Amino acid sequence: MPKVVASPASIDAAKAAFEEIEGEFPSKRDLYLKQILPEAYAVVKNAARRMCGRSIPLGGSEIKWNMVHFDVQLVGGIALHNGMIAEMQTGEGKTLVGTLPVFLNALTGLGVHVVTVNDYLAQRDSEWMGALYSYLGLSVGCIQNQQPPQLRAAQYQCDITYGTNSEFGFDYLRDNGMSSSKEEQVQNGHYFAIIDEVDSILIDEARTPLIISGPSTVSNTEQYGLYKGNIQSLVKQQNALCNELAEEVKKALAEGDEDAAGRALFKIKLGQPRSKQLARYMQDPDARRLIEKTELAMYQDAQKKDLYAVKEELYYTIDEKGHDADLMDKGRSFLDPNDSDSFVLPDLAEAYADIDANSELSVEQKAEEKEALQTRLDSQGQKMHSISQLLKAYCIYEKDVEYVIEENKVCIVDEQTGRKMAGRRWSDGLHQAIEAKEGVTVERETQTYATITIQNYFRLYEKLAGMTGTAETEAAEFHDIYRLDVLPIPTNRPNTRIDDNDQVFKTRREKYNAVVKRIAEAQERGQPVLVGTASVDASETLSRLLQRAKIQHKVLNAKFHEQEADIIANAGQKGAVTVSTNMAGRGTDIKLADGVEELGGLFVIGCERYPSRRVDRQLRGRCARQGDSGLSQFYISFEDDLMRNFAAADRMTTMMERFGMEEGEALEHKWLNRSIETAQKRVEQRDYQWRKRVLDFDDVMNMQREVVYGYRNEVLSSEDPRELLNEVIEDMVPATVHEYMDQRDAGAPDYAELLGWINTTFPLALSMEESGIQDRSADDNAAWLIDEIKKAYELRVTDQPAEYLDHLERQIILTAIDRLWQEHLYNMDALREGVHLRAQGQKDPLVEYKNEAYALFETLMDSIKGDALSNLFRSTTSLDQFEQLLQSMPQDLDGPEQAQVSNANMAQVITSQDVALKPVKSSKPVKIEFPKRKPIQIKSTKKSTK
Ligand code: ADP
Ligand code: MG
């Protein structure tokens, strides 16, 4: 094998060598790559050195190239080539690190994908690093949102392609799930993906699957409007109840009846966790202790009788952490005083058995009864579902926290990043429920055309690697899900950042006041401050306070990546104050202005600990890059969500009690930091379980998707689609013939029905005598029929324009696959919902889901072939012929249901190309039980406040 040196001829020779051994990929390839890695990396570094001082275009202006790889960057590059996550701090130059493995692996000609968190960074990096790649003779492409297909395909043809995870994912879905010819497919395989800010993509983004959807054919949006009023009164009722309970608490406390007070408080916590009264009591250590005591007693009791009893006194209970609300009996009777049973789904299997056991019913009557039962259950299930979603919408999802209203639409706000996620919708009707609650237009439910999780998309790659400043805390997940190991790489220069202890306040108000004061002091000195907030809402609150204090500042909330990159780049100027949600400006470097170093560098203030340590580390990492000085500190309060829901409540109570905090006073101790981190770990674990659960469910789909997409691609790429049609015929005809002849009711062949099927499916128009089916065995009949069908088909296609024939034949199968697959996705959605509704019955929903999904899938594969078979003689190539065909169709096809299906089928033939398909990302809240929290143990320490 040739060596690689820094000359165009040598690089060309290496590329040629890979072409030669292509037959022996991947084993020889990997060996060769390993062998040339040192030289190849040297080539890249050498090229970088030679480029120094050159002007290169970047974002419309010119910059001078000034980077030569540091040694630690080479180490990072080696980790990436070996399929690891290189953990390198912010400002260590990860963009440049990527060039090493990208160059090496691009030599194979298999295409390397570099994945970024947003379009702006894809564009920036492809241009910036592109200068180096073109110097080395490699081509670079960049995928952007809204790029037309031809342009996209050209980007994928390049040696290296930059783009965001969702663009890559959606391209995959369009290629495999929707394209109607091979030429429409744009991607070039999945060899190697290097993911920048890998935690953001593989962990944060992984919570929401990619979904391409269109308007649904079935819709029950009116349900939400219908039940909205009921839910409003229900909520009012519960609030009144909680007010009464608050009175009870007051009275019981006055009488010294602690048990009664604790019980009432606990009830409020279950029924109205965000109530103001409760918040007030939570500030009082005695009251806190009472609730904790009651709670502990209730949960410790193995039978939980007491707990259930307490719950039953409420209309519904709320699980704030789990984002769930449960309707109680009392609530059910309130909603439907005459029939609270209409909220309980009976066991279908049992009900069926009852019908079967009824000897007074004929076979037909039994079937009718079952169908009627099924219909009733469906509508009942839908009603229950709408109501439970409405309840969540009213009790858990708060305006300006979980979502905002913009232009009369409900727009989701990402809880981790505070970003508004335009275009994303909550699924399962939750979004519609919130729309109904807010009185904006309730949009039609959508139907899924294609879907994949981020996890399963990136598992498609033969090789995967990533880089970020913060991966270590999630190392287990990276390993379990993606087989990615984390390698922390030392910094190029020693890190001199100082992380001060957290400041803990009693209330949010006191916290913000302290933050504002601290910012004012820093600005006075001229030290730049970067303030991180957990949500858009919080950043706006802080901004108002700063305005009031006449402190000049800029606010970013990760909406306008490009402008924000600009602002954040200037966050290191003297006296600059920048308020930002955590995603804002990720990937942009903050350089210190002259004289700032002497003032202590950039000061990072966190206004709240995020639910995960990783995000905190990310924020701290914004300062003290490349050996600069820098300081970071977090300000928190007992009212923060994290503290309310996850912190060791008993421990906090003790502290508040012992230190008797005064107004405006803060607690500060390294033990406190530790216990907050424990709370964060708990959230991290919960979130991991959650993502794992989503993935467990998607894995079932993933196998099915692989089979269906595999078949679909075979249809698209087959040289001879007729051959595939023949397979369908040879597969389906014997099976169907046997079905009619072998095991009909009395064990006798049902010739009339067989003939009926033959005549409606194929244009043979035979009489019983002509067919002769009564004189043949099943196998002979099948052989005879296959022959007839093929003959009839030959005849029929002779008058089809030859140039369309291939296309037509592909289309016959594709239409069947697409229609039924979409229907299948819909059924799978319903199934997933269904198994969770059933979750009460001690059964593991995942197991149920797997079993039933398997059965559904078997049916699907048969139906696809059956559908293709009946499409054989119904498809046409031109619109004219199509319309003629429609008119000649028998008007009553087996009742209304059948007709509807056939119409949809027909519509697909013409509309599949021009339906506007808008990719939508939606988060799918999956209902899960989390392991109960364990109390944390911290040794008590001495007070240290200021
Ligand atoms: P990261 O992604 O790790 O946060 P970036 O790739 O954005 O870091 O780079 C941070 C800054 O460091 C950029 O301004 C870049 O020009 C500079 N840089 C990176 N590597 C080098 C190098 N080897 N020599 C000089 N400057 C470098
Ligand atoms: Mg970066």
Side-chain angles (χ1 to χ4, degrees):
M1 283 295 173
K3 293 212 160 198
V4 197
V5 294
S7 79
S10 162
I11 294 171
D12 283 344
K15 279 182 170 176
F18 274 108
E19 266 166 40
E20 260 167 47
I21 56 166
E22 210 173 325
E24 285 154 280
F25 279 2
S27 62
K28 260 217 174 145
R29 178 193 68 209
D30 292 346
L31 209 67
Y32 182 39
L33 283 175
K34 203 167 153 193
Q35 195 185 319
I36 62 173
L37 180 143
E39 283 91 358
Y41 280 24
V43 165
V44 182
K45 180 167 174 176
N46 207 339
R49 183 173 297 128
R50 289 189 202 174
M51 276 176 57
C52 281
R54 280 199 188 202
S55 268
I56 59 160
L58 184 63
S61 58
E62 303 241 313
I63 62 156
K64 276 218 159 53
W65 183 273
N66 62 351
M67 297 183 285
V68 182
H69 302 70
F70 302 131
D71 288 352
V72 288
Q73 290 179 319
L74 295 176
V75 177
I78 294 171
L80 292 179
H81 175 71
N82 288 317
M84 301 175 100
I85 291 178
E87 188 184 73
M88 302 179 75
Q89 304 307 313
T90 310
E92 286 294 296
K94 291 184 280 292
T95 326
L96 187 66
V97 172
T99 56
L100 299 159
V102 167
F103 169 75
L104 175 63
N105 285 276
L107 291 175
T108 62
L110 294 172
V112 176
H113 295 173
V114 185
V115 186
T116 62
V117 285
N118 59 49
D119 268 5
Y120 160 73
L121 287 174
Q123 177 73 45
R124 183 197 76 177
D125 292 356
S126 69
E127 235 180 284
W128 191 14
M129 298 300 123
L132 183 61
Y133 298 129
S134 358
Y135 186 88
L136 289 162
L138 297 179
S139 54
V140 187
C142 176
I143 306 288
Q144 296 274 292
N145 189 250
Q146 307 280 330
Q147 225 167 24
Q150 280 108 335
L151 208 55
R152 272 173 195 270
Q155 310 308 305
Y156 282 111
Q157 289 309 313
C158 297
D159 295 311
I160 302 152
T161 310
Y162 281 79
T164 64
N165 56 313
S166 37
E167 293 305 317
F168 281 118
F170 282 131
D171 278 339
Y172 170 75
L173 289 177
R174 278 187 291 255
D175 274 5
N176 291 277
M178 327 202 64
S179 58
S180 56
S181 72
K182 215 171 155 45
E183 293 68 47
E184 274 175 40
Q185 299 186 322
V186 297
Q187 283 195 340
N188 60 344
H190 301 93
Y191 164 54
F192 188 19
I194 297 182
I195 308 176
D196 193 10
E197 305 290 356
V198 62
D199 56 321
S200 165
I201 291 174
L202 293 189
I203 304 229
D204 298 334
E205 293 278 306
R207 287 173 309 161
T208 55
L210 301 173
I211 296 175
I212 297 183
S213 66
S216 162
T217 39
V218 284
S219 180
N220 60 338
T221 42
E222 67 288 351
Q223 292 234 354
Y224 299 101
L226 200 62
Y227 299 122
K228 174 182 163 178
N230 303 33
I231 298 297
Q232 271 171 338
S233 351
L234 183 73
V235 171
K236 239 188 233 153
Q237 201 76 12
Q238 173 114 325
N239 291 350
L241 177 68
C242 287
N243 285 342
E244 279 168 31
L245 286 169
E247 285 301 310
E248 261 178 51
V249 175
K250 219 196 240 162
K251 220 172 100 209
L253 283 178
E255 289 167 2
D257 186 350
E258 294 205 336
D259 277 358
R263 218 177 147 88
L265 277 169
F266 178 59
K267 253 191 268 179
I268 303 180
K269 192 174 172 197
L270 282 176
Q272 207 186 8
R274 285 184 184 173
S275 92
K276 288 224 173 65
Q277 282 145 328
L278 186 65
R280 214 167 307 131
Y281 279 117
M282 292 295 270
Q283 282 174 30
D284 168 19
D286 289 331
R288 278 177 81 105
R289 194 177 292 297
L290 282 181
I291 304 181
E292 282 148 26
K293 211 173 106 197
T294 318
E295 197 168 9
L296 202 66
M298 298 253 178
Y299 282 106
Q300 263 170 359
D301 168 24
Q303 303 215 299
K304 305 221 171 37
K305 265 202 196 129
D306 225 19
L307 179 64
Y308 293 134
V310 167
K311 284 189 173 182
E312 288 301 341
E313 289 167 42
L314 294 162
Y315 292 90
Y316 51 85
T317 59
I318 292 174
D319 172 7
E320 210 187 348
K321 289 181 242 175
H323 277 234
D324 207 359
D326 250 346
L327 199 57
M328 295 287 119
D329 256 348
K330 197 166 161 176
R332 288 187 200 116
S333 350
F334 175 81
L335 288 176
D336 205 340
N338 304 318
D339 182 15
S340 63
D341 266 1
S342 69
F343 291 98
V344 186
L345 282 182
D347 186 336
L348 195 60
E350 225 169 80
Y352 270 17
D354 284 350
I355 295 176
D356 280 331
N358 188 342
S359 53
E360 280 169 25
L361 298 177
S362 70
V363 178
E364 286 82 45
Q365 279 171 324
K366 279 181 187 170
E368 267 168 36
E369 289 255 315
K370 284 184 191 169
E371 218 181 293
L373 178 70
Q374 185 69 55
T375 319
R376 204 165 64 235
L377 281 188
D378 282 351
S379 82
Q380 197 176 320
Q382 245 173 31
K383 176 177 170 188
M384 280 167 63
H385 183 66
S386 312
I387 284 184
S388 110
Q389 296 298 38
L390 276 167
L391 191 60
K392 280 193 221 166
Y394 273 92
C395 303
I396 296 174
Y397 289 80
E398 239 182 289
K399 191 166 124 181
D400 290 331
V401 180
E402 275 86 11
Y403 63 91
V404 290
I405 303 290
E406 260 184 1
E407 293 168 16
N408 232 357
K409 281 184 183 336
V410 173
C411 178
I412 302 181
V413 175
D414 186 294
E415 74 168 308
Q416 299 248 337
T417 63
R419 241 186 323 172
K420 285 178 211 159
M421 302 195 290
R424 279 196 211 186
R425 293 176 64 79
W426 279 298
S427 53
D428 289 350
L430 179 60
H431 214 95
Q432 280 85 357
I434 295 175
E435 285 167 340
K437 165 184 163 194
E438 293 296 341
V440 302
T441 321
V442 179
E443 297 194 8
R444 267 172 91 81
E445 296 206 15
T446 52
Q447 176 173 346
T448 305
Y449 291 158
T451 170
I452 192 168
T453 53
I454 301 278
Q455 287 97 329
N456 276 321
Y457 174 71
F458 281 108
R459 282 165 162 190
L460 290 169
Y461 284 87
E462 208 182 308
K463 267 173 77 172
L464 197 60
M467 43 198 183
T468 175
T470 44
E472 238 189 325
T473 49
E474 253 76 15
E477 179 164 353
F478 282 124
H479 178 86
D480 294 350
I481 309 254
Y482 303 99
R483 306 250 159 277
L484 282 169
D485 288 320
V486 177
L487 185 70
I489 313 271
T491 52
N492 186 42
R493 293 165 158 196
N495 187 341
T496 59
R497 189 184 69 220
I498 300 164
D499 296 330
D500 269 349
N501 284 336
D502 294 356
Q503 298 270 314
V504 186
F505 294 84
K506 215 153 75 171
T507 62
R508 256 190 210 137
R509 187 176 44 79
E510 293 164 64
K511 172 181 80 176
Y512 281 129
N513 287 342
V515 168
V516 171
K517 208 167 134 219
R518 196 71 196 275
I519 295 173
E521 283 164 17
Q523 196 173 43
E524 192 108 314
R525 275 202 315 278
Q527 184 177 26
V529 190
L530 178 71
V531 196
T533 62
S535 66
V536 179
D537 194 39
S539 68
E540 282 166 3
T541 308
L542 184 63
S543 173
R544 266 196 307 277
L545 292 174
L546 289 173
Q547 256 162 24
R548 212 176 294 155
K550 306 229 160 22
I551 298 175
Q552 274 222 355
H553 63 280
K554 295 227 160 69
V555 183
L556 322 175
N557 47 32
K559 230 180 140 188
F560 309 103
H561 299 300
E562 194 162 352
Q563 282 152 269
E564 295 189 353
D566 222 36
I567 296 178
I568 208 110
N570 286 313
Q573 297 297 318
K574 248 187 182 165
V577 173
T578 316
V579 177
S580 147
T581 53
N582 99 59
M583 243 342 257
R586 218 183 196 203
T588 309
D589 195 33
I590 303 178
K591 289 201 172 75
L592 299 185
D594 286 339
V596 170
E597 179 70 33
E598 291 75 59
L599 295 167
L602 181 65
F603 179 21
V604 169
I605 297 181
C607 279
E608 193 165 320
R609 285 279 203 137
Y610 296 95
S612 99
R613 290 171 293 163
R614 187 167 45 82
V615 183
D616 288 349
R617 290 182 60 202
Q618 189 69 233
L619 180 66
R620 288 194 201 273
R622 300 311 301 253
C623 70
R625 56 176 282 287
Q626 288 285 344
D628 289 349
S629 43
L631 172 68
S632 80
Q633 186 162 36
F634 277 83
Y635 282 68
I636 46 196
S637 87
F638 284 115
E639 287 179 345
D640 296 350
D641 286 344
L642 178 76
M643 302 292 276
R644 279 192 308 125
N645 286 331
F646 294 94
D650 42 352
R651 173 85 195 145
M652 296 290 162
T653 312
T654 319
M655 298 228 187
M656 281 164 76
E657 223 166 32
R658 173 141 1 129
F659 305 140
M661 293 165 75
E662 297 293 323
E663 165 81 21
E665 202 180 34
L667 289 180
E668 176 194 334
H669 197 278
K670 63 176 190 299
W671 279 112
L672 259 177
N673 310 347
R674 198 80 62 87
S675 83
I676 290 160
E677 279 191 15
T678 314
Q680 289 175 311
K681 278 188 205 158
R682 208 174 289 142
V683 188
E684 285 164 17
Q685 238 161 35
R686 180 202 65 167
D687 287 350
Y688 176 32
Q689 298 293 344
W690 191 311
R691 288 186 294 268
K692 182 95 179 50
R693 195 73 174 169
V694 172
L695 190 61
D696 283 343
F697 276 85
D698 189 58
D699 279 345
V700 177
M701 273 287 299
N702 202 38
M703 282 185 291
Q704 303 186 350
R705 181 171 41 230
E706 271 171 23
V707 175
V708 171
Y709 282 2
Y711 185 44
R712 204 179 183 283
N713 276 325
E714 201 183 323
V715 175
L716 281 185
S717 57
S718 155
E719 298 276 311
D720 187 6
R722 175 81 60 91
E723 194 48 43
L724 292 172
L725 276 182
N726 284 341
E727 269 173 30
V728 168
I729 297 173
E730 281 154 22
D731 217 29
M732 284 312 288
V733 170
T736 317
V737 169
H738 271 283
E739 200 185 305
Y740 284 110
M741 287 186 62
D742 294 351
Q743 39 74 47
R744 286 278 131 170
D745 282 346
D750 196 333
Y751 292 114
E753 276 199 28
L754 174 58
L755 188 68
W757 172 71
I758 294 175
N759 280 334
T760 43
T761 318
F762 315 106
L764 297 175
L766 300 168
S767 70
M768 188 60 86
E769 288 74 47
E770 283 168 338
S771 75
I773 50 174
Q774 282 167 311
D775 310 325
R776 294 192 205 95
S777 70
D779 284 341
D780 287 348
N781 264 335
W784 160 81
L785 186 55
I786 289 172
D787 214 42
E788 288 295 306
I789 294 170
K790 286 186 179 169
K791 272 195 289 193
Y793 185 73
E794 281 300 331
L795 254 179
R796 179 186 152 81
V797 295
T798 44
D799 58 291
Q800 293 286 354
E803 67 267 36
Y804 290 138
L805 198 53
D806 262 10
H807 179 69
L808 170 72
E809 288 173 343
R810 275 188 235 286
Q811 216 54 45
I812 288 174
I813 309 182
L814 284 186
T815 309
I817 296 178
D818 291 350
R819 181 178 76 78
L820 288 159
W821 174 244
Q822 278 162 28
E823 211 174 276
H824 180 72
L825 290 178
Y826 184 82
N827 291 338
M828 292 280 284
D829 269 356
L831 175 63
R832 186 162 39 206
E833 253 167 49
V835 293
H836 287 298
L837 282 177
R838 272 185 252 160
Q840 280 92 351
Q842 304 297 313
K843 292 176 187 158
D844 179 1
L846 182 62
V847 175
E848 298 259 299
Y849 178 73
K850 274 187 186 163
N851 290 340
E852 295 191 28
Y854 183 74
L856 275 181
F857 188 65
E858 272 192 330
T859 324
L860 169 74
M861 293 315 278
D862 278 351
S863 320
I864 287 178
K865 289 181 183 158
D867 217 51
L869 198 61
S870 36
N871 279 350
L872 259 190
F873 296 94
R874 289 194 192 149
S875 314
T876 50
T877 45
S878 71
L879 195 58
D880 276 0
Q881 286 176 4
F882 173 71
E883 272 163 2
Q884 273 174 16
L885 182 81
L886 256 190
Q887 268 151 22
S888 67
M889 294 264 295
Q891 290 306 302
D892 57 332
L893 289 155
D894 284 336
E897 208 182 20
Q898 183 80 44
Q900 202 185 347
V901 171
S902 306
N903 275 339
N905 180 9
M906 285 305 168
Q908 199 108 53
V909 181
I910 32 172
T911 55
S912 64
Q913 267 94 12
D914 45 41
V915 191
L917 297 168
K918 212 171 86 206
V920 176
K921 279 174 97 178
S922 103
S923 54
K924 221 161 235 251
V926 177
K927 182 177 167 172
I928 18 168
E929 300 276 329
F930 299 107
K932 249 193 69 193
R933 61 201 186 106
K934 278 197 244 109
I936 16 172
Q937 315 249 312
I938 314 176
K939 290 205 200 80
S940 79
T941 46
K942 268 186 49 210
K943 172 178 175 177
S944 142
T945 54
K946 43 176 265 177

